[in-house]
Amino acid sequence: MNKVVLNEGDKVLLLYTTHEKQTLKIMQRIKSHLDKKLSCDLIELLPTAQIDLNHYQAALLGSSIRYGFYSKVMKKFIQQHYQYLNNVPSGFFGVNVVARKANKNTPETNLYTKKFLASIPWRPTIAAVFAGALYYPQYNWFDRNMIRFIMWLGKGDTDVTKPVIEFTDWQKVDQFAHQFLTQTLGSSETF
Ligand SMILES: Cc1cc2nc3c(=O)[nH]c(=O)nc-3n(C[C@H](O)[C@H](O)[C@H](O)COP(=O)(O)O)c2cc1C
């Protein structure tokens, strides 16, 4: 079982996968809080990434949903490194647009996240789900129309001319960063 409590200045791995960079934006916001107490490396998990986990005393992983699934690369990384992840203070957050709905925005009520966490051998110390964003003009024809149709079914915003439709609750992201610091540093005096 985990977990050691961190000391100020310890190193934290912030690892993410993304398509349109909303997960990166969320990770950067979290980093802006963690940086006050810990030393953070922000790394995109590409299939070719070589990461030496011995450098890190804690890890936070973030990934977004595409057509019902979190990144395969992220899942493979977790399956390869779950023993390390289970032995350090750790966190996971997922990003998707279904999480814009109040009854689908926790790891227990967001089905993608519930299924994902149940399918891996890692038990993160804390987990969250954040609503993402839509960038209709950036999508190809197929994706734009698929997402528009899915949003229409869910009574969401279907205006494909808007450059960005952001659902992310930044206060919730800030609270998660606070919670991560509280858990890892073993103190509530974090902000
Ligand atoms: C092609 C495509 C498929 C998506 N599929 C889903 C989905 O199945 N369920 C969902 O809730 N959100 C879905 N989304 C919304 C994304 O999860 C959301 O845009 C998120 O902010 C993407 O984060 P990223 O930019 O870090 O990849 C999809 C978005 C795109 C463009």
Side-chain angles (χ1 to χ4, degrees):
M1 274 291 283
N2 60 354
K3 311 277 180 175
V4 279
V5 172
L6 299 193
N7 298 308
E8 285 196 32
D10 273 350
K11 288 204 79 160
V12 182
L13 172 66
L14 304 180
L15 192 66
Y16 67 94
T17 61
T18 189
H19 294 275
E20 284 83 35
K21 300 200 163 43
Q22 192 66 16
T23 308
L24 169 62
K25 201 173 160 186
I26 293 170
M27 203 55 118
Q28 284 169 331
R29 175 83 165 222
I30 294 171
K31 183 175 185 295
S32 73
H33 294 298
L34 304 191
D35 275 343
K36 293 171 195 160
K37 297 279 181 180
L38 298 165
S39 168
C40 301
D41 281 354
L42 180 63
I43 299 177
E44 181 170 7
L45 180 61
L46 298 170
T48 51
Q50 298 284 329
I51 297 160
D52 185 352
L53 292 173
N54 293 319
H55 286 150
Y56 301 102
Q57 288 77 45
L60 177 63
L61 275 50
S63 186
S64 62
I65 286 282
R66 210 144 173 112
Y67 293 126
F69 293 95
Y70 285 113
S71 149
K72 280 191 186 139
V73 180
M74 181 60 85
K75 190 163 182 176
K76 190 171 163 203
F77 178 88
I78 292 168
Q79 282 164 337
Q80 281 171 344
H81 300 292
Y82 72 92
Q83 283 165 325
Y84 159 83
L85 291 167
N86 278 333
N87 277 295
V88 294
S90 67
F92 173 81
F93 69 84
V95 180
N96 54 73
V97 293
V98 163
R100 75 188 185 283
K101 299 187 173 182
N103 60 347
K104 295 186 177 169
N105 70 359
T106 69
E108 295 76 31
T109 59
N110 188 264
L111 280 189
Y112 307 125
T113 310
K114 190 178 172 178
K115 276 196 210 161
F116 182 73
L117 291 173
S119 75
I120 52 173
W122 170 39
R123 296 288 163 261
T125 317
I126 62 169
V129 187
F130 301 121
L134 294 177
Y135 297 84
Y136 282 118
Q138 289 184 34
Y139 305 150
N140 63 34
W141 184 92
F142 179 82
D143 288 342
R144 184 161 50 250
N145 285 291
M146 283 297 285
I147 299 306
R148 188 180 196 213
F149 178 61
I150 293 165
M151 289 300 283
W152 178 78
L153 288 177
K155 300 186 176 21
D157 199 329
T158 55
D159 183 352
V160 293
T161 66
K162 287 184 186 164
V164 56
I165 302 166
E166 188 172 75
F167 303 105
T168 310
D169 177 346
W170 293 106
Q171 209 184 340
K172 185 177 169 186
V173 174
D174 293 341
Q175 281 165 0
F176 179 75
H178 187 191
Q179 200 192 346
F180 187 78
L181 271 175
T182 306
Q183 294 279 334
T184 55
L185 292 171
S187 152
S188 56
E189 305 286 324
T190 47
F191 271 65

